[in-house]
């Protein structure tokens, strides 16, 4: 997936998701302040997306419906969403990836049926995802808190990836 970087860090009783604001069409930047990270389920879940914007909004809507169907069960809602994503003729064509988190679990969702929980407290998606992931893993064992790690790692990714900028949207949840 091109044209974005989304990073999630879980550390010190908090989960933080950050995303850049750049939207690109080919080699042209068309917007610099898009909001690719948002709250779902009345603020109890944070999600970030990489990929086609309309596809991501469709997936956010579907996930919101699954969260209403399975309240307080993020993993179950995500599994049900990815089942639909793989089997539904319309959804199967959506080109996006998502990271979602609540107070207890962090997950990566893909159209190939993946519902993955990271081994460590860090995961990233998008064209700059690997840069942000590497930077965040290097910072994980420092005294920085989760939000500081997200900010620093995203700044590093923005310096390297031409599809990532420094206009960040950051959302956080305290673990309960």
């Amino acid at each position: 997936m091109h044209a974005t970087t989304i990073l999630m860090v879980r550390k010190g009783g908090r989960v933080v998701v950050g995303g850049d604001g750049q939207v690109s069409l080919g080699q042209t930047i068309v917007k610099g302040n898009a909001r690719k990270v948002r709250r779902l389920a009345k603020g109890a879940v944070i999600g970030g997306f990489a990929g086609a914007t309309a596809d991501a909004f469709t997936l956010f809507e579907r996930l919101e419906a699954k969260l209403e169907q399975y309240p307080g069960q993020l993993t179950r809602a995500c599994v049900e969403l990815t089942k639909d994503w793989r089997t539904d003729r319309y959804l199967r064509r959506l080109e996006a990836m998502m990271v979602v988190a609540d107070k207890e679990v962090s997950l990566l969702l893909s159209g190939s049926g993946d519902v993955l929980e990271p081994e460590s407290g860090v995961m990233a998606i998008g064209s700059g995802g690997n840069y942000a992931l590497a930077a965040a893993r290097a910072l994980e064992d420092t005294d920085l808190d989760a939000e500081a790690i997200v900010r620093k790692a995203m700044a590093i990714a923005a310096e390297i990836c031409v599809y990532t900028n420094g206009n960040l949207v950051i959302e956080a949840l305290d673990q309960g």
Side-chain angles (χ1 to χ4, degrees):
M1 299 292 163
H2 292 294
T4 199
T5 302
I6 304 292
L7 175 63
M8 179 183 302
V9 174
R10 187 176 290 273
K11 181 180 178 183
R14 292 190 91 201
V15 60
V16 179
V17 179
D20 77 307
Q22 185 167 305
V23 176
S24 304
L25 288 174
Q27 297 177 341
T28 303
I29 298 169
V30 294
K31 187 171 181 173
N33 63 347
R35 187 172 180 85
K36 302 171 196 172
V37 175
R38 57 191 62 230
R39 289 183 174 270
L40 305 165
K42 298 176 183 166
V45 174
I46 303 171
F49 71 86
T53 306
D55 294 353
F57 287 137
T58 299
L59 291 169
F60 273 143
E61 288 173 9
R62 296 286 181 121
L63 179 57
E64 189 81 56
K66 295 296 182 185
L67 289 165
E68 287 175 13
Q69 190 176 355
Y70 305 104
Q73 300 178 62
L74 179 60
T75 302
R76 172 103 189 259
C78 289
V79 168
E80 294 300 323
L81 173 65
T82 55
K83 279 189 208 174
D84 291 350
W85 196 352
R86 279 186 53 92
T87 58
D88 183 274
R89 190 174 213 149
Y90 167 73
L91 292 178
R92 204 176 13 218
R93 296 176 189 201
L94 299 183
E95 296 182 17
M97 291 183 79
M98 298 173 67
V99 292
V100 294
D102 65 9
K103 293 178 180 185
E104 299 163 8
V105 67
S106 301
L107 301 168
L108 180 146
L109 312 177
S110 79
S112 57
D114 297 316
V115 178
L116 304 171
E117 188 171 5
E119 287 182 7
S120 70
V122 179
M123 82 174 115
I125 57 174
S127 58
N130 286 335
Y131 306 121
L133 179 65
R137 283 188 178 168
L139 296 168
E140 224 176 347
D141 293 331
T142 67
D143 291 336
L144 295 176
D145 66 10
E147 184 171 338
I149 291 171
V150 167
R151 288 186 183 281
K152 191 161 184 81
M154 289 293 292
I156 291 167
E159 290 176 4
I160 299 169
C161 178
V162 297
Y163 295 106
T164 302
N165 71 15
N167 294 336
L168 301 181
V169 172
I170 294 180
E171 294 284 353
L173 289 171
D174 292 325
Q175 291 175 265

